[in-house]
Amino acid sequence: MFENRPGRDAEVVFVGRSNVGKSTLMRELTGHSFETGGKPGVTRQPNHFDWASEDFMLTDLPGFGFMSGVEEDRRERIKTDIVEYIEENAERVLVGVLVVDGKSVIDIIDRHSGEDEIPHDVEMFYFLREVGIPVVVAVNKMDKVDDEDERLNDLCDRLGLHPPWKQWQDTIAPISAKRGNIDALNEAVKTHLHEQKRDDLFKFFS
Protein backbone atom coordinates (compact mmCIF):
# COMPACT_ATOMS: atom_id res chain seq x y z
CA MET A 1 0.00 0.00 0.00
CA PHE A 2 1.17 3.54 -0.71
CA GLU A 3 2.47 5.37 2.31
CA ASN A 4 3.55 8.85 3.33
CA ARG A 5 0.71 10.84 1.82
CA PRO A 6 1.23 14.51 2.74
CA GLY A 7 -1.54 15.87 4.97
CA ARG A 8 -3.24 17.98 2.35
CA ASP A 9 -7.00 18.25 2.23
CA ALA A 10 -7.41 18.88 -1.49
CA GLU A 11 -5.70 17.21 -4.42
CA VAL A 12 -5.95 16.57 -8.12
CA VAL A 13 -4.83 13.04 -9.03
CA PHE A 14 -3.32 11.87 -12.31
CA VAL A 15 -3.74 8.26 -13.39
CA GLY A 16 -2.93 6.40 -16.58
CA ARG A 17 -1.12 3.52 -18.19
CA SER A 18 2.65 3.42 -18.26
CA ASN A 19 4.26 5.46 -21.03
CA VAL A 20 1.34 7.78 -21.79
CA GLY A 21 3.43 10.87 -20.93
CA LYS A 22 2.23 11.55 -17.38
CA SER A 23 5.67 12.59 -16.18
CA THR A 24 6.07 15.07 -19.04
CA LEU A 25 2.63 16.47 -18.23
CA MET A 26 3.49 16.82 -14.54
CA ARG A 27 6.67 18.68 -15.46
CA GLU A 28 4.68 20.98 -17.72
CA LEU A 29 2.10 21.68 -15.00
CA THR A 30 4.46 22.13 -12.08
CA GLY A 31 7.68 23.35 -13.61
CA HIS A 32 9.39 20.68 -11.51
CA SER A 33 11.28 17.93 -13.16
CA PHE A 34 11.83 14.73 -11.28
CA GLU A 35 13.22 11.31 -11.94
CA THR A 36 11.30 9.44 -14.58
CA GLY A 37 12.38 5.92 -15.14
CA GLY A 38 13.76 4.94 -18.50
CA LYS A 39 11.69 1.81 -18.30
CA PRO A 40 7.96 1.57 -17.62
CA GLY A 41 6.67 0.91 -14.17
CA VAL A 42 9.55 2.68 -12.47
CA THR A 43 7.26 5.02 -10.58
CA ARG A 44 5.98 2.59 -7.94
CA GLN A 45 4.90 5.15 -5.34
CA PRO A 46 2.82 8.28 -5.93
CA ASN A 47 4.71 11.51 -6.63
CA HIS A 48 3.08 14.23 -4.53
CA PHE A 49 3.63 17.85 -5.55
CA ASP A 50 2.80 19.67 -2.36
CA TRP A 51 5.09 22.62 -2.95
CA ALA A 52 2.28 25.19 -2.71
CA SER A 53 1.48 27.06 0.48
CA GLU A 54 -2.19 26.24 -0.08
CA ASP A 55 -3.74 23.14 1.43
CA PHE A 56 -3.51 21.48 -1.98
CA MET A 57 -1.32 19.13 -4.01
CA LEU A 58 -1.08 17.34 -7.33
CA THR A 59 -0.57 13.58 -7.13
CA ASP A 60 0.94 11.53 -9.94
CA LEU A 61 -0.04 7.92 -9.33
CA PRO A 62 2.06 5.06 -10.73
CA GLY A 63 1.33 3.82 -14.24
CA PHE A 64 -0.90 0.76 -14.52
CA GLY A 65 -1.46 -1.89 -17.16
CA PHE A 66 1.09 -3.82 -19.16
CA MET A 67 4.73 -3.07 -18.41
CA SER A 68 7.50 -4.98 -20.08
CA GLY A 69 9.68 -6.76 -17.57
CA VAL A 70 7.16 -6.47 -14.73
CA GLU A 71 5.37 -9.63 -13.63
CA GLU A 72 1.61 -9.74 -13.73
CA ASP A 73 1.08 -10.08 -9.98
CA ARG A 74 3.25 -7.00 -9.45
CA ARG A 75 1.17 -5.09 -12.02
CA GLU A 76 -2.05 -6.17 -10.33
CA ARG A 77 -0.67 -5.05 -6.97
CA ILE A 78 0.10 -1.59 -8.33
CA LYS A 79 -3.40 -1.32 -9.79
CA THR A 80 -4.96 -2.42 -6.48
CA ASP A 81 -2.87 0.16 -4.61
CA ILE A 82 -4.04 2.90 -6.99
CA VAL A 83 -7.69 1.92 -6.54
CA GLU A 84 -7.33 1.80 -2.74
CA TYR A 85 -5.56 5.18 -2.65
CA ILE A 86 -8.34 6.80 -4.68
CA GLU A 87 -11.08 5.18 -2.58
CA GLU A 88 -9.48 6.26 0.68
CA ASN A 89 -8.95 9.84 -0.45
CA ALA A 90 -11.99 10.30 -2.71
CA GLU A 91 -13.45 13.05 -0.53
CA ARG A 92 -10.27 15.07 -0.87
CA VAL A 93 -9.84 14.57 -4.62
CA LEU A 94 -11.27 17.54 -6.51
CA VAL A 95 -10.57 16.18 -10.00
CA GLY A 96 -9.21 12.92 -11.40
CA VAL A 97 -7.19 13.29 -14.60
CA LEU A 98 -7.00 10.10 -16.66
CA VAL A 99 -4.08 10.45 -19.08
CA VAL A 100 -4.23 8.39 -22.28
CA ASP A 101 -2.06 8.20 -25.39
CA GLY A 102 -4.15 9.70 -28.20
CA LYS A 103 -2.24 7.72 -30.78
CA SER A 104 -2.83 4.24 -29.35
CA VAL A 105 -5.73 4.46 -26.90
CA ILE A 106 -8.45 3.24 -29.30
CA ASP A 107 -6.39 0.22 -30.37
CA ILE A 108 -5.60 -0.64 -26.75
CA ILE A 109 -9.23 -0.36 -25.65
CA ASP A 110 -10.44 -2.44 -28.59
CA ARG A 111 -7.80 -5.09 -28.02
CA HIS A 112 -8.96 -5.57 -24.44
CA SER A 113 -12.71 -5.42 -24.97
CA GLY A 114 -13.69 -9.03 -24.45
CA GLU A 115 -16.85 -10.42 -22.94
CA ASP A 116 -15.48 -10.55 -19.42
CA GLU A 117 -12.81 -7.95 -19.90
CA ILE A 118 -13.13 -4.22 -19.39
CA PRO A 119 -10.13 -2.23 -20.65
CA HIS A 120 -8.17 -0.60 -17.83
CA ASP A 121 -8.72 2.93 -19.17
CA VAL A 122 -12.50 2.52 -19.42
CA GLU A 123 -12.60 0.82 -16.03
CA MET A 124 -10.62 3.66 -14.41
CA PHE A 125 -12.87 6.28 -16.02
CA TYR A 126 -15.98 4.70 -14.52
CA PHE A 127 -14.31 3.92 -11.21
CA LEU A 128 -13.41 7.60 -10.66
CA ARG A 129 -16.98 8.59 -11.47
CA GLU A 130 -18.40 5.93 -9.17
CA VAL A 131 -16.49 7.27 -6.18
CA GLY A 132 -17.80 10.76 -6.98
CA ILE A 133 -14.68 12.29 -8.55
CA PRO A 134 -15.14 14.50 -11.65
CA VAL A 135 -12.98 13.07 -14.44
CA VAL A 136 -11.02 14.78 -17.18
CA VAL A 137 -9.49 12.53 -19.84
CA ALA A 138 -6.23 14.16 -20.97
CA VAL A 139 -5.69 12.79 -24.47
CA ASN A 140 -1.94 13.24 -24.86
CA LYS A 141 0.37 13.10 -27.91
CA MET A 142 -2.32 14.62 -30.14
CA ASP A 143 0.46 16.23 -32.21
CA LYS A 144 0.99 12.72 -33.63
CA VAL A 145 -2.67 12.24 -34.63
CA ASP A 146 -3.91 13.27 -38.08
CA ASP A 147 -7.67 12.87 -37.73
CA GLU A 148 -8.15 14.57 -34.37
CA ASP A 149 -11.95 14.89 -34.40
CA GLU A 150 -12.47 11.32 -35.56
CA ARG A 151 -10.08 9.95 -32.95
CA LEU A 152 -11.70 11.92 -30.12
CA ASN A 153 -15.20 10.92 -31.26
CA ASP A 154 -14.10 7.28 -31.23
CA LEU A 155 -12.75 7.72 -27.72
CA CYS A 156 -16.06 9.23 -26.54
CA ASP A 157 -17.82 6.27 -28.07
CA ARG A 158 -15.59 3.79 -26.17
CA LEU A 159 -16.18 5.66 -22.90
CA GLY A 160 -19.94 5.66 -23.34
CA LEU A 161 -20.16 9.40 -24.08
CA HIS A 162 -22.19 10.39 -27.12
CA PRO A 163 -20.03 11.97 -29.84
CA PRO A 164 -19.27 14.60 -31.00
CA TRP A 165 -16.47 15.09 -28.47
CA LYS A 166 -16.75 18.88 -28.57
CA GLN A 167 -19.81 18.74 -26.32
CA TRP A 168 -17.63 17.10 -23.66
CA GLN A 169 -14.90 19.69 -23.32
CA ASP A 170 -15.05 19.52 -19.54
CA THR A 171 -14.31 15.78 -19.85
CA ILE A 172 -12.19 15.26 -23.00
CA ALA A 173 -9.04 17.41 -23.24
CA PRO A 174 -6.74 16.94 -26.26
CA ILE A 175 -3.18 17.91 -25.32
CA SER A 176 0.45 17.56 -26.33
CA ALA A 177 2.43 17.75 -23.10
CA LYS A 178 5.80 17.52 -24.83
CA ARG A 179 4.98 20.59 -26.89
CA GLY A 180 3.62 22.48 -23.88
CA ASN A 181 0.11 22.46 -25.32
CA ILE A 182 -2.08 21.70 -22.29
CA ASP A 183 -4.62 24.54 -22.40
CA ALA A 184 -7.59 22.22 -22.97
CA LEU A 185 -6.70 20.29 -19.82
CA ASN A 186 -6.27 23.43 -17.74
CA GLU A 187 -9.66 24.76 -18.86
CA ALA A 188 -11.43 21.46 -18.16
CA VAL A 189 -9.88 21.16 -14.69
CA LYS A 190 -10.84 24.78 -13.88
CA THR A 191 -14.47 24.05 -14.84
CA HIS A 192 -14.59 21.35 -12.16
CA LEU A 193 -12.71 23.43 -9.58
CA HIS A 194 -15.18 26.26 -10.13
CA GLU A 195 -18.11 23.91 -9.56
CA GLN A 196 -16.53 23.03 -6.21
CA LYS A 197 -15.97 26.70 -5.35
CA ARG A 198 -12.19 26.38 -5.56
CA ASP A 199 -11.36 29.24 -7.93
CA ASP A 200 -8.47 29.94 -5.54
CA LEU A 201 -6.65 27.02 -7.19
CA PHE A 202 -6.95 28.33 -10.77
CA LYS A 203 -3.39 29.67 -10.66
CA PHE A 204 -2.05 26.11 -10.71
CA PHE A 205 -3.78 25.52 -14.03
CA SER A 206 -3.12 28.69 -15.96
Side-chain angles (χ1 to χ4, degrees):
M1 186 57 194
F2 302 143
E3 285 143 27
N4 305 327
R5 180 191 182 278
R8 297 289 169 110
D9 259 352
E11 68 182 301
V12 171
V13 300
F14 291 77
V15 293
R17 289 176 178 279
S18 299
N19 286 356
V20 292
K22 269 197 300 105
S23 300
T24 308
L25 174 57
M26 298 311 293
R27 197 160 55 238
E28 193 58 41
L29 275 168
T30 63
H32 290 249
S33 75
F34 54 95
E35 287 307 305
T36 61
K39 54 184 202 291
V42 168
T43 312
R44 298 286 169 84
Q45 287 285 331
N47 278 308
H48 299 288
F49 295 86
D50 58 340
W51 75 100
S53 55
E54 283 81 0
D55 189 10
F56 170 73
M57 65 181 175
L58 302 180
T59 298
D60 176 22
L61 290 164
F64 58 78
F66 175 76
M67 299 167 234
S68 59
V70 181
E71 304 91 35
E72 187 169 350
D73 59 343
R74 173 90 196 129
R75 297 200 299 260
E76 281 305 311
R77 181 75 240 152
I78 291 170
K79 192 166 154 236
T80 305
D81 285 349
I82 292 169
V83 165
E84 285 176 1
Y85 179 91
I86 292 170
E87 278 179 332
E88 277 178 23
N89 297 292
E91 287 179 11
R92 302 185 186 97
V93 178
L94 302 172
V95 185
V97 179
L98 172 61
V99 187
V100 300
D101 180 335
K103 200 156 182 274
S104 62
V105 64
I106 305 297
D107 294 341
I108 289 172
I109 288 176
D110 288 354
R111 202 180 315 145
H112 293 278
S113 297
E115 278 185 16
D116 14 312
E117 200 178 14
I118 301 174
H120 286 327
D121 304 277
V122 177
E123 189 179 28
M124 191 59 74
F125 178 74
Y126 279 99
F127 167 66
L128 287 162
R129 285 181 146 196
E130 271 161 31
V131 294
I133 297 172
V135 191
V136 176
V137 183
V139 193
N140 196 18
K141 308 187 186 181
M142 288 305 287
D143 52 308
K144 298 180 177 169
V145 171
D146 298 330
D147 46 352
E148 180 168 317
D149 285 340
E150 190 181 329
R151 183 68 49 94
L152 295 170
N153 287 342
D154 284 348
L155 179 59
C156 280
D157 182 57
R158 304 305 191 274
L159 293 172
L161 306 171
H162 291 294
W165 75 272
K166 287 201 165 135
Q167 63 183 330
W168 301 103
Q169 290 189 41
D170 59 347
T171 305
I172 302 287
I175 62 169
S176 171
K178 210 170 216 173
R179 299 201 167 180
N181 178 6
I182 59 170
D183 290 354
L185 172 63
N186 285 334
E187 291 310 311
V189 169
K190 285 195 280 197
T191 302
H192 296 296
L193 292 176
H194 179 67
E195 282 165 2
Q196 296 170 77
K197 303 188 168 43
R198 293 306 305 261
D199 292 19
D200 57 307
L201 302 176
F202 277 18
K203 62 183 175 191
F204 298 112
F205 299 94
S206 57

